[in-house]
């Protein structure tokens, strides 16, 4: 419920184009109690998940990183 209210609040603050479809009209016309009764009957739309494709790593860079990790794990260069 709190998330839906915050979604509505953000939409209303974002401008007049977004408020009405998120229940702003019900809230403004009939109040919070009416909005709560209305919003519990509306299914929550699934949020789109945006996956970022990782940038490819050059094989040479990968080998260097792994070599440094192995070198550090082994104690690196010990003098004396």
């Amino acid at each position: 419920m709190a998330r839906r209210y915050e979604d509505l609040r953000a939409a209303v603050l974002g401008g007049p184009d977004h408020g009405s479809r998120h229940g702003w009209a019900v809230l403004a016309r009939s109040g919070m109690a009416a909005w709560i009764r209305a919003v519990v009957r509306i299914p929550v739309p699934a949020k789109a998940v945006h996956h970022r494709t990782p940038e490819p790593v050059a094989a040479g860079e990968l080998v260097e990183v792994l070599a440094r990790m192995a070198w550090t794990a082994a104690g690196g260069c010990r003098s004396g």
Side-chain angles (χ1 to χ4, degrees), residues 5 8-9 11-13 15-16 18-31 35:
Y5 175 76
L8 171 63
R9 184 173 167 271
V12 171
L13 292 175
H18 301 96
S20 63
R21 67 188 178 101
H22 293 284
W24 169 240
V26 173
L27 182 63
R29 183 181 63 235
S30 304
W35 177 80

Side-chain angles (χ1 to χ4, degrees), residues 6-79:
E6 290 302 326
D7 289 345
L8 171 63
R9 184 173 167 271
V12 171
L13 292 175
D17 297 336
H18 301 96
S20 63
R21 67 188 178 101
H22 293 284
W24 169 240
V26 173
L27 182 63
R29 183 181 63 235
S30 304
M32 180 64 84
W35 177 80
I36 290 171
R37 286 190 302 270
V39 80
V40 295
R41 290 183 269 146
I42 301 169
V44 177
K47 296 247 180 194
V49 177
H50 300 284
H51 296 284
R52 269 186 36 197
T53 304
E55 294 187 26
V57 177
E61 289 179 55
L62 182 58
V63 169
E64 183 178 343
V65 168
L66 292 174
R68 286 182 187 206
M69 288 172 62
W71 182 262
T72 301
C77 181
R78 296 187 182 158
S79 57

